[in-house]
Amino acid sequence: QGLPADQTTGIVSDGDTMVAASQSGLARFDGEGWTIIHKTNSPVTCLTTGRDRIWFVEGNSVFSLAADSPPGNEGSLPAAMTANCILVTEDRVLVGTNAGLLELSGGQTQPVQAVNQLLSGKLAIRQLAQHGAEVAVAADGGLVTLNTATGTPELQNPRDQKVGWALQDVRGVGYDAKGSLWFAAPQGVGKRLDDSWTLYTGHEGLPWNDFTCVATGVSEDVWFGTNLGAIRYTGDTWEYRQGRRWLLDDKVQAIALSENGDAWMATSAGVSCIQTRPMTLERKAATINEDIDHFHKRTE
């Protein structure tokens, strides 16, 4: 359907369209297929939007791409570093790498030492998220929140009424529509609302814990990418989506939620989209019968 490569590495919502990153470039979805908007010589390792632009890391360089303009080189990372994620706010550009958190300014990168020093040498940054003046950092060494107004970081050790976790190997982080902070780690999933934590494990219904990312949007739903499918939490129920019925490949690299709540997923074999569609029982029955006729009947 037009992707520059099946191996997709990232996806973001850009207004009313989606943009996907791959091993060979960037592409925009037009409702029916993909149109390549930038060809690359090196894989795009991370992708985001901000300041009315698309931002991405190709090789060791950070680029921004505005509409109808060629990409602009915003700066380069040190040669030994690999970018895993990027966050663009109104006043700063943060890049999470395999060797800590960097801030990009004036074409130069500087380590965010206040955050990196809290990670006890486990510096790999997996995902970044922002709500107001707070930036959340999911890292190998734990979960850190950074107050960008004061520059003060805090290592989070969440605890609810039953259990407390000294977090390690945090894979994803995000803020939902209410401003609640979510994280995903092998220990499980956590949510902070008004300084109070709720922690979820398999006992509370969490179906899997080998996470790759967290995605939030305009609704209160939270999606979690894993190495074996995707998980949706609606506030009441956990839904697990795995296998070719739902996904082109079970390794979910990134998830982006559209303005109407559709979940778009970058996988190792292309992009999948899971939609929620209201329908009558009559229409549901007709859909099931159509699938039976097309996929299951073996005789006339």
Side-chain angles (χ1 to χ4, degrees), residues 3 5-11 21-22 226 229 246-255 264-273:
L3 283 170
D6 287 341
Q7 177 79 19
T8 50
T9 54
I11 190 160
S22 75
T226 81
W246 300 100
L247 300 168
L248 287 169
D249 187 82
D250 281 338
K251 184 176 178 59
V252 178
Q253 309 275 21
I255 302 176
W264 292 76
M265 305 184 193
T267 79
S268 300
V271 173
S272 296
C273 178

PDB file of all heavy atoms in Angstrom, residues 3 5-11 21-22 226 229 246-255 264-273:
ATOM      1  N   LEU A   3       4.071   1.874   1.588  1.00  0.00           N
ATOM      2  CA  LEU A   3       5.123   2.111   2.577  1.00  0.00           C
ATOM      3  C   LEU A   3       6.501   1.944   1.938  1.00  0.00           C
ATOM      4  O   LEU A   3       6.692   1.056   1.112  1.00  0.00           O
ATOM      5  CB  LEU A   3       4.987   1.138   3.747  1.00  0.00           C
ATOM      6  CG  LEU A   3       3.892   1.422   4.770  1.00  0.00           C
ATOM      7  CD1 LEU A   3       3.724   0.242   5.710  1.00  0.00           C
ATOM      8  CD2 LEU A   3       4.205   2.682   5.573  1.00  0.00           C
ATOM      9  N   ALA A   5       9.090   0.748   3.255  1.00  0.00           N
ATOM     10  CA  ALA A   5       9.634  -0.546   3.690  1.00  0.00           C
ATOM     11  C   ALA A   5       8.644  -1.156   4.674  1.00  0.00           C
ATOM     12  O   ALA A   5       7.936  -0.443   5.383  1.00  0.00           O
ATOM     13  CB  ALA A   5      11.002  -0.383   4.336  1.00  0.00           C
ATOM     14  N   ASP A   6       8.596  -2.481   4.713  1.00  0.00           N
ATOM     15  CA  ASP A   6       7.686  -3.152   5.652  1.00  0.00           C
ATOM     16  C   ASP A   6       8.139  -2.994   7.095  1.00  0.00           C
ATOM     17  O   ASP A   6       7.318  -2.971   8.016  1.00  0.00           O
ATOM     18  CB  ASP A   6       7.572  -4.637   5.314  1.00  0.00           C
ATOM     19  CG  ASP A   6       6.755  -4.880   4.054  1.00  0.00           C
ATOM     20  OD1 ASP A   6       5.998  -3.966   3.651  1.00  0.00           O
ATOM     21  OD2 ASP A   6       6.889  -5.961   3.461  1.00  0.00           O
ATOM     22  N   GLN A   7       9.451  -2.929   7.305  1.00  0.00           N
ATOM     23  CA  GLN A   7      10.002  -2.808   8.663  1.00  0.00           C
ATOM     24  C   GLN A   7       9.763  -1.390   9.156  1.00  0.00           C
ATOM     25  O   GLN A   7      10.564  -0.485   8.935  1.00  0.00           O
ATOM     26  CB  GLN A   7      11.496  -3.127   8.650  1.00  0.00           C
ATOM     27  CG  GLN A   7      12.192  -2.962   9.986  1.00  0.00           C
ATOM     28  CD  GLN A   7      11.972  -4.115  10.931  1.00  0.00           C
ATOM     29  OE1 GLN A   7      11.601  -5.192  10.514  1.00  0.00           O
ATOM     30  NE2 GLN A   7      12.182  -3.892  12.209  1.00  0.00           N
ATOM     31  N   THR A   8       8.637  -1.147   9.826  1.00  0.00           N
ATOM     32  CA  THR A   8       8.321   0.182  10.318  1.00  0.00           C
ATOM     33  C   THR A   8       8.823   0.340  11.745  1.00  0.00           C
ATOM     34  O   THR A   8       8.749  -0.575  12.558  1.00  0.00           O
ATOM     35  CB  THR A   8       6.808   0.455  10.257  1.00  0.00           C
ATOM     36  OG1 THR A   8       6.089  -0.624  10.863  1.00  0.00           O
ATOM     37  CG2 THR A   8       6.348   0.603   8.817  1.00  0.00           C
ATOM     38  N   THR A   9       9.338   1.531  12.032  1.00  0.00           N
ATOM     39  CA  THR A   9       9.995   1.771  13.318  1.00  0.00           C
ATOM     40  C   THR A   9       9.258   2.773  14.193  1.00  0.00           C
ATOM     41  O   THR A   9       9.553   2.876  15.381  1.00  0.00           O
ATOM     42  CB  THR A   9      11.425   2.292  13.077  1.00  0.00           C
ATOM     43  OG1 THR A   9      11.366   3.447  12.220  1.00  0.00           O
ATOM     44  CG2 THR A   9      12.277   1.226  12.404  1.00  0.00           C
ATOM     45  N   GLY A  10       8.329   3.528  13.624  1.00  0.00           N
ATOM     46  CA  GLY A  10       7.600   4.522  14.404  1.00  0.00           C
ATOM     47  C   GLY A  10       6.370   4.995  13.673  1.00  0.00           C
ATOM     48  O   GLY A  10       6.255   4.834  12.447  1.00  0.00           O
ATOM     49  N   ILE A  11       5.430   5.589  14.414  1.00  0.00           N
ATOM     50  CA  ILE A  11       4.226   6.153  13.814  1.00  0.00           C
ATOM     51  C   ILE A  11       3.709   7.257  14.728  1.00  0.00           C
ATOM     52  O   ILE A  11       3.788   7.148  15.956  1.00  0.00           O
ATOM     53  CB  ILE A  11       3.155   5.066  13.559  1.00  0.00           C
ATOM     54  CG1 ILE A  11       2.021   5.627  12.715  1.00  0.00           C
ATOM     55  CG2 ILE A  11       2.642   4.449  14.864  1.00  0.00           C
ATOM     56  CD1 ILE A  11       1.205   4.546  12.025  1.00  0.00           C
ATOM     57  N   ALA A  21       7.354   5.885  10.076  1.00  0.00           N
ATOM     58  CA  ALA A  21       8.793   5.832   9.801  1.00  0.00           C
ATOM     59  C   ALA A  21       9.191   4.390   9.539  1.00  0.00           C
ATOM     60  O   ALA A  21       8.619   3.462  10.119  1.00  0.00           O
ATOM     61  CB  ALA A  21       9.577   6.385  10.990  1.00  0.00           C
ATOM     62  N   SER A  22      10.171   4.221   8.677  1.00  0.00           N
ATOM     63  CA  SER A  22      10.608   2.871   8.324  1.00  0.00           C
ATOM     64  C   SER A  22      12.112   2.838   8.126  1.00  0.00           C
ATOM     65  O   SER A  22      12.815   3.820   8.325  1.00  0.00           O
ATOM     66  CB  SER A  22       9.899   2.412   7.040  1.00  0.00           C
ATOM     67  OG  SER A  22      10.471   3.052   5.920  1.00  0.00           O
ATOM     68  N   THR A 226       3.732  -4.404  22.974  1.00  0.00           N
ATOM     69  CA  THR A 226       4.577  -5.442  23.552  1.00  0.00           C
ATOM     70  C   THR A 226       5.307  -6.174  22.429  1.00  0.00           C
ATOM     71  O   THR A 226       5.075  -5.940  21.242  1.00  0.00           O
ATOM     72  CB  THR A 226       3.773  -6.470  24.383  1.00  0.00           C
ATOM     73  OG1 THR A 226       3.178  -7.438  23.507  1.00  0.00           O
ATOM     74  CG2 THR A 226       2.692  -5.801  25.207  1.00  0.00           C
ATOM     75  N   GLY A 229       2.199  -8.628  20.727  1.00  0.00           N
ATOM     76  CA  GLY A 229       0.872  -8.059  20.568  1.00  0.00           C
ATOM     77  C   GLY A 229       0.703  -6.717  21.257  1.00  0.00           C
ATOM     78  O   GLY A 229       1.661  -6.091  21.703  1.00  0.00           O
ATOM     79  N   TRP A 246      -5.324  -9.573  14.164  1.00  0.00           N
ATOM     80  CA  TRP A 246      -5.265  -8.163  14.548  1.00  0.00           C
ATOM     81  C   TRP A 246      -4.062  -7.420  13.973  1.00  0.00           C
ATOM     82  O   TRP A 246      -4.158  -6.214  13.689  1.00  0.00           O
ATOM     83  CB  TRP A 246      -5.216  -8.038  16.077  1.00  0.00           C
ATOM     84  CG  TRP A 246      -6.406  -8.623  16.761  1.00  0.00           C
ATOM     85  CD1 TRP A 246      -6.478  -9.856  17.376  1.00  0.00           C
ATOM     86  CD2 TRP A 246      -7.699  -8.046  16.907  1.00  0.00           C
ATOM     87  NE1 TRP A 246      -7.727 -10.069  17.878  1.00  0.00           N
ATOM     88  CE2 TRP A 246      -8.511  -8.961  17.619  1.00  0.00           C
ATOM     89  CE3 TRP A 246      -8.259  -6.829  16.514  1.00  0.00           C
ATOM     90  CZ2 TRP A 246      -9.830  -8.704  17.932  1.00  0.00           C
ATOM     91  CZ3 TRP A 246      -9.583  -6.576  16.830  1.00  0.00           C
ATOM     92  CH2 TRP A 246     -10.353  -7.511  17.538  1.00  0.00           C
ATOM     93  N   LEU A 247      -2.922  -8.092  13.859  1.00  0.00           N
ATOM     94  CA  LEU A 247      -1.662  -7.403  13.584  1.00  0.00           C
ATOM     95  C   LEU A 247      -0.889  -8.096  12.469  1.00  0.00           C
ATOM     96  O   LEU A 247      -0.898  -9.321  12.367  1.00  0.00           O
ATOM     97  CB  LEU A 247      -0.792  -7.375  14.844  1.00  0.00           C
ATOM     98  CG  LEU A 247      -1.369  -6.685  16.080  1.00  0.00           C
ATOM     99  CD1 LEU A 247      -0.524  -7.007  17.305  1.00  0.00           C
ATOM    100  CD2 LEU A 247      -1.443  -5.185  15.861  1.00  0.00           C
ATOM    101  N   LEU A 248      -0.176  -7.282  11.670  1.00  0.00           N
ATOM    102  CA  LEU A 248       0.685  -7.858  10.645  1.00  0.00           C
ATOM    103  C   LEU A 248       1.849  -8.626  11.267  1.00  0.00           C
ATOM    104  O   LEU A 248       2.341  -9.594  10.692  1.00  0.00           O
ATOM    105  CB  LEU A 248       1.229  -6.743   9.743  1.00  0.00           C
ATOM    106  CG  LEU A 248       0.211  -6.131   8.773  1.00  0.00           C
ATOM    107  CD1 LEU A 248       0.770  -4.871   8.140  1.00  0.00           C
ATOM    108  CD2 LEU A 248      -0.169  -7.144   7.703  1.00  0.00           C
ATOM    109  N   ASP A 249       2.290  -8.178  12.434  1.00  0.00           N
ATOM    110  CA  ASP A 249       3.353  -8.868  13.163  1.00  0.00           C
ATOM    111  C   ASP A 249       3.160  -8.578  14.645  1.00  0.00           C
ATOM    112  O   ASP A 249       2.709  -7.490  15.017  1.00  0.00           O
ATOM    113  CB  ASP A 249       4.726  -8.387  12.699  1.00  0.00           C
ATOM    114  CG  ASP A 249       5.858  -9.196  13.312  1.00  0.00           C
ATOM    115  OD1 ASP A 249       6.158 -10.282  12.783  1.00  0.00           O
ATOM    116  OD2 ASP A 249       6.423  -8.750  14.316  1.00  0.00           O
ATOM    117  N   ASP A 250       3.508  -9.512  15.505  1.00  0.00           N
ATOM    118  CA  ASP A 250       3.255  -9.350  16.939  1.00  0.00           C
ATOM    119  C   ASP A 250       4.221  -8.388  17.619  1.00  0.00           C
ATOM    120  O   ASP A 250       3.928  -7.901  18.720  1.00  0.00           O
ATOM    121  CB  ASP A 250       3.336 -10.707  17.644  1.00  0.00           C
ATOM    122  CG  ASP A 250       2.061 -11.522  17.460  1.00  0.00           C
ATOM    123  OD1 ASP A 250       1.014 -10.921  17.171  1.00  0.00           O
ATOM    124  OD2 ASP A 250       2.120 -12.753  17.597  1.00  0.00           O
ATOM    125  N   LYS A 251       5.370  -8.106  17.010  1.00  0.00           N
ATOM    126  CA  LYS A 251       6.312  -7.175  17.622  1.00  0.00           C
ATOM    127  C   LYS A 251       5.863  -5.751  17.300  1.00  0.00           C
ATOM    128  O   LYS A 251       6.040  -5.267  16.181  1.00  0.00           O
ATOM    129  CB  LYS A 251       7.731  -7.414  17.120  1.00  0.00           C
ATOM    130  CG  LYS A 251       8.764  -6.523  17.813  1.00  0.00           C
ATOM    131  CD  LYS A 251      10.166  -6.861  17.366  1.00  0.00           C
ATOM    132  CE  LYS A 251      11.205  -5.948  18.005  1.00  0.00           C
ATOM    133  NZ  LYS A 251      11.203  -6.008  19.474  1.00  0.00           N
ATOM    134  N   VAL A 252       5.294  -5.083  18.292  1.00  0.00           N
ATOM    135  CA  VAL A 252       4.765  -3.726  18.108  1.00  0.00           C
ATOM    136  C   VAL A 252       5.862  -2.729  18.487  1.00  0.00           C
ATOM    137  O   VAL A 252       6.257  -2.625  19.646  1.00  0.00           O
ATOM    138  CB  VAL A 252       3.504  -3.514  18.965  1.00  0.00           C
ATOM    139  CG1 VAL A 252       2.999  -2.088  18.813  1.00  0.00           C
ATOM    140  CG2 VAL A 252       2.417  -4.511  18.558  1.00  0.00           C
ATOM    141  N   GLN A 253       6.343  -1.991  17.496  1.00  0.00           N
ATOM    142  CA  GLN A 253       7.438  -1.048  17.719  1.00  0.00           C
ATOM    143  C   GLN A 253       6.947   0.268  18.320  1.00  0.00           C
ATOM    144  O   GLN A 253       7.635   0.888  19.131  1.00  0.00           O
ATOM    145  CB  GLN A 253       8.146  -0.745  16.387  1.00  0.00           C
ATOM    146  CG  GLN A 253       8.560  -1.980  15.597  1.00  0.00           C
ATOM    147  CD  GLN A 253       9.898  -2.524  16.029  1.00  0.00           C
ATOM    148  OE1 GLN A 253      10.366  -2.256  17.127  1.00  0.00           O
ATOM    149  NE2 GLN A 253      10.524  -3.294  15.166  1.00  0.00           N
ATOM    150  N   ALA A 254       5.765   0.726  17.882  1.00  0.00           N
ATOM    151  CA  ALA A 254       5.215   1.998  18.343  1.00  0.00           C
ATOM    152  C   ALA A 254       3.721   2.009  18.078  1.00  0.00           C
ATOM    153  O   ALA A 254       3.224   1.287  17.208  1.00  0.00           O
ATOM    154  CB  ALA A 254       5.883   3.166  17.624  1.00  0.00           C
ATOM    155  N   ILE A 255       2.989   2.827  18.856  1.00  0.00           N
ATOM    156  CA  ILE A 255       1.548   2.987  18.693  1.00  0.00           C
ATOM    157  C   ILE A 255       1.238   4.478  18.694  1.00  0.00           C
ATOM    158  O   ILE A 255       1.800   5.247  19.472  1.00  0.00           O
ATOM    159  CB  ILE A 255       0.759   2.301  19.833  1.00  0.00           C
ATOM    160  CG1 ILE A 255       1.091   0.809  19.905  1.00  0.00           C
ATOM    161  CG2 ILE A 255      -0.747   2.493  19.660  1.00  0.00           C
ATOM    162  CD1 ILE A 255       0.426   0.090  21.068  1.00  0.00           C
ATOM    163  N   TRP A 264      -3.118   2.971  15.681  1.00  0.00           N
ATOM    164  CA  TRP A 264      -2.219   2.652  14.579  1.00  0.00           C
ATOM    165  C   TRP A 264      -0.911   2.121  15.153  1.00  0.00           C
ATOM    166  O   TRP A 264      -0.336   2.721  16.063  1.00  0.00           O
ATOM    167  CB  TRP A 264      -1.953   3.903  13.744  1.00  0.00           C
ATOM    168  CG  TRP A 264      -3.153   4.384  12.991  1.00  0.00           C
ATOM    169  CD1 TRP A 264      -4.227   5.063  13.507  1.00  0.00           C
ATOM    170  CD2 TRP A 264      -3.407   4.228  11.606  1.00  0.00           C
ATOM    171  NE1 TRP A 264      -5.139   5.330  12.515  1.00  0.00           N
ATOM    172  CE2 TRP A 264      -4.655   4.840  11.326  1.00  0.00           C
ATOM    173  CE3 TRP A 264      -2.697   3.644  10.551  1.00  0.00           C
ATOM    174  CZ2 TRP A 264      -5.192   4.866  10.051  1.00  0.00           C
ATOM    175  CZ3 TRP A 264      -3.234   3.676   9.281  1.00  0.00           C
ATOM    176  CH2 TRP A 264      -4.472   4.278   9.039  1.00  0.00           C
ATOM    177  N   MET A 265      -0.433   1.008  14.601  1.00  0.00           N
ATOM    178  CA  MET A 265       0.704   0.318  15.196  1.00  0.00           C
ATOM    179  C   MET A 265       1.778   0.045  14.154  1.00  0.00           C
ATOM    180  O   MET A 265       1.500  -0.525  13.092  1.00  0.00           O
ATOM    181  CB  MET A 265       0.253  -0.987  15.834  1.00  0.00           C
ATOM    182  CG  MET A 265      -0.852  -0.754  16.839  1.00  0.00           C
ATOM    183  SD  MET A 265      -1.341  -2.222  17.714  1.00  0.00           S
ATOM    184  CE  MET A 265      -2.872  -1.591  18.456  1.00  0.00           C
ATOM    185  N   ALA A 266       2.994   0.479  14.452  1.00  0.00           N
ATOM    186  CA  ALA A 266       4.148   0.168  13.622  1.00  0.00           C
ATOM    187  C   ALA A 266       4.693  -1.180  14.062  1.00  0.00           C
ATOM    188  O   ALA A 266       5.023  -1.372  15.242  1.00  0.00           O
ATOM    189  CB  ALA A 266       5.211   1.246  13.765  1.00  0.00           C
ATOM    190  N   THR A 267       4.771  -2.115  13.124  1.00  0.00           N
ATOM    191  CA  THR A 267       5.269  -3.458  13.432  1.00  0.00           C
ATOM    192  C   THR A 267       6.432  -3.796  12.507  1.00  0.00           C
ATOM    193  O   THR A 267       6.761  -3.056  11.586  1.00  0.00           O
ATOM    194  CB  THR A 267       4.176  -4.534  13.276  1.00  0.00           C
ATOM    195  OG1 THR A 267       4.019  -4.856  11.877  1.00  0.00           O
ATOM    196  CG2 THR A 267       2.843  -4.051  13.833  1.00  0.00           C
ATOM    197  N   SER A 268       7.013  -4.948  12.731  1.00  0.00           N
ATOM    198  CA  SER A 268       8.139  -5.394  11.920  1.00  0.00           C
ATOM    199  C   SER A 268       7.727  -5.775  10.508  1.00  0.00           C
ATOM    200  O   SER A 268       8.592  -5.974   9.647  1.00  0.00           O
ATOM    201  CB  SER A 268       8.818  -6.595  12.591  1.00  0.00           C
ATOM    202  OG  SER A 268       9.286  -6.235  13.878  1.00  0.00           O
ATOM    203  N   ALA A 269       6.425  -5.862  10.242  1.00  0.00           N
ATOM    204  CA  ALA A 269       5.947  -6.276   8.917  1.00  0.00           C
ATOM    205  C   ALA A 269       5.014  -5.254   8.284  1.00  0.00           C
ATOM    206  O   ALA A 269       4.336  -5.563   7.313  1.00  0.00           O
ATOM    207  CB  ALA A 269       5.240  -7.630   9.023  1.00  0.00           C
ATOM    208  N   GLY A 270       4.974  -4.032   8.809  1.00  0.00           N
ATOM    209  CA  GLY A 270       4.092  -3.012   8.264  1.00  0.00           C
ATOM    210  C   GLY A 270       3.267  -2.355   9.353  1.00  0.00           C
ATOM    211  O   GLY A 270       3.513  -2.539  10.545  1.00  0.00           O
ATOM    212  N   VAL A 271       2.268  -1.580   8.934  1.00  0.00           N
ATOM    213  CA  VAL A 271       1.415  -0.835   9.857  1.00  0.00           C
ATOM    214  C   VAL A 271       0.051  -1.503   9.955  1.00  0.00           C
ATOM    215  O   VAL A 271      -0.548  -1.865   8.944  1.00  0.00           O
ATOM    216  CB  VAL A 271       1.250   0.628   9.391  1.00  0.00           C
ATOM    217  CG1 VAL A 271       0.231   1.357  10.245  1.00  0.00           C
ATOM    218  CG2 VAL A 271       2.588   1.351   9.445  1.00  0.00           C
ATOM    219  N   SER A 272      -0.442  -1.663  11.167  1.00  0.00           N
ATOM    220  CA  SER A 272      -1.786  -2.174  11.423  1.00  0.00           C
ATOM    221  C   SER A 272      -2.621  -1.094  12.099  1.00  0.00           C
ATOM    222  O   SER A 272      -2.095  -0.284  12.860  1.00  0.00           O
ATOM    223  CB  SER A 272      -1.745  -3.410  12.327  1.00  0.00           C
ATOM    224  OG  SER A 272      -1.071  -4.472  11.693  1.00  0.00           O
ATOM    225  N   CYS A 273      -3.917  -1.086  11.813  1.00  0.00           N
ATOM    226  CA  CYS A 273      -4.841  -0.149  12.444  1.00  0.00           C
ATOM    227  C   CYS A 273      -6.009  -0.920  13.032  1.00  0.00           C
ATOM    228  O   CYS A 273      -6.649  -1.718  12.334  1.00  0.00           O
ATOM    229  CB  CYS A 273      -5.346   0.873  11.429  1.00  0.00           C
ATOM    230  SG  CYS A 273      -6.551   2.046  12.111  1.00  0.00           S
TER     231      CYS A 273
END
